Amino acid sequence: MQIATPYLMFLGDVPDTLAAKTAYGIKDWRPDWCVGQMRLPGCAADLGIPDMTLPEALAKGCRTLVIGVVNAGGVLPDHWVKEIVAAIEAGLDVASGLHVKLGAVPAIAEAAARRGRQLHDVRHTDERFPTGKGTKRAGRRLLTVGTDCSVGKKYTVLALERGMRERGLDADFCATGQTGVFISGRGVAIDAVVADFISGAVETISPEAAPNHWDLIEGQGSLFHPSFAGVSLGLLHGAQADAFVVCHEPTRSTMRGVKHPLPTLQQVIDLTVQLGSLTNPAIKPVGISVNTQALGESEAKALLDKLAAEHSLPATDPVRFGVAGLVDRIVADFPEV
């Protein structure tokens, strides 16, 4: 899936900012792609970018209308359809993270066919992936893994992409979730891939590359989560990771949505090395990423220092304290060839 940029962000008439969290994530990490926003009367969200009409957006070079909202059931409200059709008629592609497929709405499908525009449903894919082969391929790869789901795996690789590029390293973010696909402009939502082809899909989005090129692969779920461990394992094998960063949220005692206790960081490190060695016997940890949002600054720093000492790895909150220590470790452990 390759989404044309830049974007016109469609917020509709969402009732609060949380309903537009996908749009906010895209704007936070790819502000240069978010040229303007399109809001309907009563919209309670504001990305802080210019409100634009369709002619204004086209004049600014917009190529895709992004429906950057979430709602219960992932439905597309009927009164949004005419706005989306108008965007298609004006010459824009449309991309959506909702569960309902754009092409399943007759008026949208007909307009896209008539105008030759692309419809992107990032929660779905029609692409056929091969089964994973595990054959050694050139280039370097880093995967984020977690003690749980929703602990900062996407934000960690995005921060690493920025930090590594600032240090002159050749690094690209590889998206495996719907928000990540919008942020990257490409990738695949792994939860839309049939289980047998997960590792093959990851091999496809992180193919053979130049020896010093880094693909930074967005992790999903956790090897210890009873609901999502299968996805996490497929990602690990397909990534053929040289390096991994363990992501953690320190205030939890059980994993999200289940009663299973949170694993320790060491358990995650050990199991990731054990299972990841199937496709890369040289896999190694290069750091710990902790979401310290719920902690005060002194408490957060004390925890990070403690974890770094316990595991002999750099530990940071990428959003709060940056990723310099992680990049230092990557550079030290993987000198350019």
Side-chain angles (χ1 to χ4, degrees), residues 306-321:
K306 176 176 178 289
L307 294 177
E310 286 178 354
H311 299 283
S312 299
L313 291 168
T316 189
D317 180 328
V319 175
R320 200 171 190 178
F321 304 120

Side-chain angles (χ1 to χ4, degrees), residues 29-52:
W29 288 101
R30 293 291 186 262
D32 51 320
W33 289 1
C34 300
V35 172
Q37 63 185 4
M38 184 177 176
R39 300 186 293 166
L40 302 181
C43 183
D46 185 350
L47 300 178
I49 58 178
D51 287 290
M52 290 186 178

Side-chain angles (χ1 to χ4, degrees), residues 20 24 104 109 119 152-153 157 198 202 229 232 250 301 319 328:
Y24 279 94
L119 301 177
K153 292 183 284 290
V157 284
I198 290 174
V202 181
S232 304
K301 288 182 176 178
V319 175
D328 287 342

Side-chain angles (χ1 to χ4, degrees), residues 260-318:
H260 288 61
L262 210 69
T264 66
L265 289 167
Q266 192 59 53
Q267 285 176 316
V268 175
I269 291 170
D270 292 344
L271 189 60
T272 300
V273 170
Q274 179 186 353
L275 298 177
S277 63
L278 175 69
T279 55
N280 189 345
I283 186 174
K284 64 165 63 175
V286 292
I288 298 167
S289 171
V290 183
N291 179 348
T292 65
Q293 186 176 16
L295 307 179
E297 184 160 339
S298 60
E299 186 182 8
K301 288 182 176 178
L303 174 62
L304 294 172
D305 288 344
K306 176 176 178 289
L307 294 177
E310 286 178 354
H311 299 283
S312 299
L313 291 168
T316 189
D317 180 328

Side-chain angles (χ1 to χ4, degrees), residues 129-134 196-201 203:
F129 296 106
T131 55
K133 299 299 186 290
D196 279 359
F197 306 101
I198 290 174
S199 60
E203 290 180 356

